[in-house]
Amino acid sequence: MGAIIKREMSSYFSSPIGYIYLAVFYLFAGFFFYMTTLQAGSTDLRGVFINLFSVLMFLIPILTMRLISEDKRQKTDQALLTAPLTLGGLVFGKFIAAFIIFAMGVAVTLVFAVVVSFFAQPDWAVVLSNMLGLLLLGGALISIGLFISSLTENQVIAAIGSFAALMFLSFIDSIAAAIPISFLSTIVKGFSFYEPYNTLTMGKIGLSPILFFISVALLFNYLTIRVFERRRWS
Amino acid sequence: MIEVQNLTKRYGDKKAVDNISFTVNKGEILGFLGPNGAGKSTTMNILTGYLSSTEGVAKIGEYDVLENPLEAKKHIGYLPEHPPLYLDMTVRDYLDFIYDLKRCKIPRKSHIGEICRLVRIEEVYNRIIKNLSKGYKQRVGLAQALIGNPEVLILDEPTVGLDPKQIIDIRNLIKRLGKNHTVILSSHILPEVQAVCDRVVVINKGIIVADDTADNLSRQLSTDHKLVVRIEGPEAEVRKLLTSVPNMQSVVLLGEREKGVFEYSLEAKEGSDVRREIFNRLSNRSFPLLGMKTSEMTLEDVFLTLIDDKSKGGKK
C-alpha cells in the first residue's frame, strides 16, 4: 500500500493535476476568506467552509479522475494486480494518496485561522470542527470519485461522471424539499451530504455526521474493490 | 513448479481456454506456442492471478493462485503482452516503485543495478519511459518482471517489437535465466520456441494440440520429405525422372523460373529422405540442380500436422 501511495502522490506533481488542484483550491479558499471574514471584519471562518462545499463538487473529480481509469488504459493494472498486494491495499492506497493531496489544500484554512488569531481569538473548537467536517466530506467524495474512475478507461468520462454525481448529491436537499410526501422527503434528506456537513461547520462535533461520512467512504471503497473483483471474474 | 489442471475460461459463450492441463518442472523453460487469439495470454493471465478461471486449478509451487493469491504472486515475475509501464515515470522511479510494490528484501541498489545490466537498460536509466523506443520499453518490462528474483518467470511474447540483434540478446538472456528460474514463454514463432525452450506446449483455439520436448516436436514437424527443387532441363524428361525416384508421391510443376529452368514441388512418403537420390539421378543425366530447399512450415501447417497426427492417434 505504501508503494501505491508514494507513486500516486508523486504522479500528482509530475503532471499539472496536483498543482492545478492546489492553486484552484487556494484561490477559492482565499477569495471566500477575504469576502466572508476579512471584509466582514469577523473572526468567524464558517463562511469559508460553507462555500468550499460547492467548490469540492468540481475539484474532487479532478483529483480522482485518473486514479484507476488511467491504469486500465495503460494496462499498468496488470502490474498492480499481479503483485503481492491485496485489492484492499490497492484501493485504499489510491484513496489515501488522493486524500493527502486534498488535505494539503484544506491545510490552508489553518493559515486563515492563524491570521484571524492576530486580531482576535477565534473559537478554536469551531475551527477544528469545521476542518474535520471538510476533511470527512472530502474523504467521502474522493471515494465516490475513485469508484467512478474504476468504471471506465477514459479519464474524461470519469471526471464528467464524478462531476455529475457530486452535483446531484449537492441538490439532494432541494429535491427533498420538493417532495410533498413527508416520509419520502425524510428518507431522501437522509442522503444529504450538506446536512451533516452543516452540522459540523456549526461546531457541533456529533457522532452521527462523522459516522455518515466514514460509512460513505468505506462503502464506495468497498464497491471499488468489488469492481476489480468482478472484472477478474468476467 | 507450475501445475495447471483442467483450466477453462469462458467469456460468455466463447471458450478462450478449454480444459487445458500441463505442468512445468522446476528449472524448465516451457514454450507456449500458438497463433494470436489461441488463448496463450488468457492462460498466462490466469496463472498470474490477473484473471480468474471459470473452472480448473492453477498452482504455483504449492500455492493455488485463486485460494492463496498473495503467496503465489510472490513467486511470479510477469511480463504481460503489453508491458505495464507508467509512461510518465523515469526508468529509475518505475523500477523503484515495482521494487516497493513487490516488497523486496534484496538490497535495493545492487539488485536493481544488476537487473539493469542484465537487460541492458543502464543507458536509459534516468530517462522518462514515454520517450523510449519500443525495444527499450520491452526490456524495461522484462526488468520489472525480474525484480525480486522470482522463481517463476511468465513472459508473454517477450521478443515482440525488438530488432534482430535484440531478439538474439533476449533469447540468450532467457536461456541463461532458465538455469535458475522456471520460465513460461509464449510466442507465435516456431523457431523461437525451438531455439529457447526445453519443452513446447502448442495451443490452438483454447485447446492443447501438442505437449512434447522441443526436439521431439521438431522431428515430428520435420519437412525433409517436402521439397522445392529448381532444375535445368526439358520439363517432361525431368518430371519423368523425378517421378521414378523411390518413395516419391507427387511431383508438381510450379513454373518456369528462368529460360529452360523449371521449379517443382515434390512430396515423398513421410519419413523418407529422397534428397541424395534426386541429386544422383540428376547428375547421371547431367541435368543441373540449381536449387533445393525443404518447404517451410507455417504455423498453420504445424497445427494441421499436429491435429492430423492426434486424430490418427499418433500422439507420442
Side-chain angles (χ1 to χ4, degrees):
Chain A
M1 191 162 88
I4 302 279
I5 298 176
K6 202 170 132 197
R7 200 212 83 79
E8 288 303 334
M9 284 190 57
S10 73
S11 145
Y12 275 119
F13 294 109
S14 67
S15 70
I17 290 178
Y19 299 102
I20 288 176
Y21 161 76
L22 287 177
V24 174
F25 191 95
Y26 292 153
L27 179 77
F28 277 103
F31 174 71
F32 296 138
F33 178 56
Y34 179 75
M35 295 302 282
T36 63
T37 308
L38 295 184
Q39 187 81 312
S42 133
T43 60
D44 187 4
L45 289 171
R46 270 196 69 202
V48 177
F49 286 92
I50 287 175
N51 283 306
L52 280 176
F53 180 84
S54 22
V55 174
L56 290 200
M57 298 299 153
F58 69 86
L59 273 185
I60 294 291
I62 294 176
L63 278 186
T64 57
M65 62 182 184
R66 38 157 290 288
L67 277 177
I68 295 175
S69 59
E70 191 64 7
D71 274 312
K72 275 164 86 177
R73 198 178 64 81
Q74 285 192 19
K75 308 226 190 267
T76 39
D77 58 340
Q78 278 191 308
L80 304 179
L81 295 175
T82 59
L85 171 79
T86 58
L87 284 179
L90 171 60
V91 170
F92 276 94
K94 300 236 174 207
F95 172 80
I96 290 169
F99 187 77
I100 291 174
I101 304 293
F102 168 70
M104 286 167 69
V106 174
V108 78
T109 56
L110 205 59
V111 177
F112 298 163
V114 171
V115 169
V116 166
S117 74
F118 284 115
F119 301 103
Q121 197 62 1
D123 188 342
W124 284 105
V126 175
V127 171
L128 290 179
S129 164
N130 272 319
M131 287 180 70
L132 179 71
L134 192 60
L135 288 173
L136 287 170
L137 172 71
L141 298 183
I142 286 170
S143 70
I144 295 174
L146 185 65
F147 169 68
I148 292 173
S149 176
S150 76
L151 300 176
T152 169
E153 292 190 8
N154 184 323
Q155 40 175 304
V156 175
I157 293 177
I160 294 174
S162 310
F163 181 62
L166 300 192
M167 278 311 263
F168 181 77
L169 281 177
S170 67
F171 293 145
I172 280 189
D173 291 276
S174 342
I175 296 170
I179 297 177
I181 309 160
S182 87
F183 84 94
L184 265 183
S185 166
T186 319
I187 291 173
V188 173
K189 217 171 160 66
F191 291 101
S192 163
F193 276 49
Y194 187 73
E195 189 75 26
Y197 179 65
N198 197 33
T199 314
L200 286 169
T201 54
M202 293 202 279
K204 289 187 238 163
I205 302 186
L207 205 55
S208 104
I210 295 176
L211 281 182
F212 174 79
F213 287 127
I214 291 179
S215 314
V216 170
L218 289 178
L219 172 71
F220 277 93
N221 282 349
Y222 172 73
L223 289 177
T224 309
I225 294 173
R226 295 294 305 166
V227 170
F228 275 108
E229 269 172 8
R230 221 199 63 183
R231 186 140 28 97
R232 185 189 283 173
W233 285 95
S234 70
Chain B
M1 192 69 207
I2 302 171
E3 203 182 327
V4 172
Q5 276 171 18
N6 308 100
L7 205 67
T8 300
K9 177 73 183 175
R10 241 181 252 123
Y11 291 111
D13 290 339
K14 199 183 159 288
K15 278 183 178 172
V17 173
D18 191 356
N19 199 23
I20 65 171
S21 303
F22 64 89
T23 55
V24 192
N25 302 318
K26 206 174 159 77
E28 200 172 33
I29 305 182
L30 178 88
F32 217 49
L33 182 69
N36 297 323
K40 301 185 302 263
S41 296
T42 305
T43 309
M44 292 185 146
N45 278 333
I46 293 172
L47 275 174
T48 52
Y50 180 65
L51 291 175
S52 57
S53 55
T54 315
E55 280 163 42
V57 179
K59 273 184 175 175
I60 305 291
E62 54 196 296
Y63 303 108
D64 188 313
V65 176
L66 263 190
E67 281 167 15
N68 209 338
L70 291 192
E71 280 304 317
K73 285 172 186 175
K74 272 185 199 162
H75 298 93
I76 304 175
Y78 182 32
L79 170 63
E81 196 174 2
H82 184 107
L85 305 173
Y86 282 105
L87 298 179
D88 55 350
M89 293 173 104
T90 62
V91 174
R92 171 208 292 269
D93 289 346
Y94 175 68
L95 294 179
D96 263 347
F97 164 64
I98 297 290
Y99 179 95
D100 291 336
L101 191 67
K102 292 189 177 180
R103 285 176 223 178
C104 283
K105 301 282 185 286
I106 315 164
R108 181 189 296 257
K109 217 174 159 193
S110 61
H111 181 51
I112 294 181
E114 194 191 339
I115 288 171
C116 289
R117 245 189 326 278
L118 208 58
V119 299
R120 301 200 182 145
I121 51 171
E122 296 144 296
E123 62 270 34
V124 297
Y125 190 55
N126 288 314
R127 284 178 56 188
I128 290 176
I129 296 176
K130 185 165 47 185
N131 302 331
L132 299 182
S133 69
K134 187 139 194 260
Y136 272 122
K137 281 182 187 159
Q138 189 72 17
R139 283 188 274 171
V140 174
L142 190 59
Q144 163 272 134
L146 292 174
I147 283 183
N149 203 14
E151 290 164 70
V152 174
L153 287 174
I154 297 185
L155 311 174
D156 199 349
E157 310 209 345
T159 56
V160 162
L162 303 181
D163 67 37
K165 189 178 169 301
Q166 292 167 342
I167 290 181
I168 293 169
D169 282 351
I170 293 288
R171 281 183 192 168
N172 288 337
L173 174 63
I174 293 170
K175 269 195 209 166
R176 238 182 307 146
L177 290 169
K179 287 187 184 123
N180 35 29
H181 294 78
T182 306
V183 183
I184 298 187
L185 151 121
S186 81
S187 177
H188 57 258
I189 308 160
L190 180 62
E192 171 161 298
V193 170
Q194 284 171 327
V196 180
C197 303
D198 307 318
R199 233 180 74 221
V200 182
V201 165
V202 185
I203 182 169
N204 190 26
K205 292 181 184 148
I207 298 169
I208 291 184
V209 286
D211 178 353
D212 214 333
T213 63
D215 290 344
N216 275 347
L217 196 72
S218 321
R219 212 167 302 136
Q220 213 176 337
L221 298 175
S222 138
T223 51
D224 289 349
H225 64 289
K226 282 186 185 165
L227 301 171
V228 174
V229 290
R230 199 175 275 201
I231 298 162
E232 187 173 350
E235 192 230 322
E237 277 180 61
V238 172
R239 180 194 278 270
K240 213 171 120 196
L241 184 144
L242 288 171
T243 319
S244 69
V245 171
N247 287 332
M248 188 62 73
Q249 284 179 326
S250 79
V251 177
V252 177
L253 179 71
L254 296 177
E256 187 170 9
R257 299 296 184 230
E258 295 162 46
K259 200 171 162 28
V261 179
F262 296 88
E263 198 167 66
Y264 308 86
S265 163
L266 311 178
E267 192 172 345
K269 206 189 271 172
E270 221 180 296
S272 64
D273 191 346
V274 293
R275 291 174 298 181
R276 290 166 194 83
E277 192 61 35
I278 291 171
F279 174 79
N280 288 336
R281 286 181 188 226
L282 287 171
S283 74
N284 280 344
R285 297 282 306 273
S286 311
F287 291 142
L289 176 63
L290 300 181
M292 178 192 283
K293 59 178 185 210
T294 52
S295 62
E296 270 173 30
M297 215 172 194
T298 62
L299 203 51
E300 202 70 7
D301 297 331
V302 171
F303 293 122
L304 289 176
T305 313
L306 290 170
I307 293 164
D308 215 34
D309 281 4
K310 216 176 177 182
S311 61
K312 280 183 207 154
K315 196 196 169 200
K316 277 152 264 176

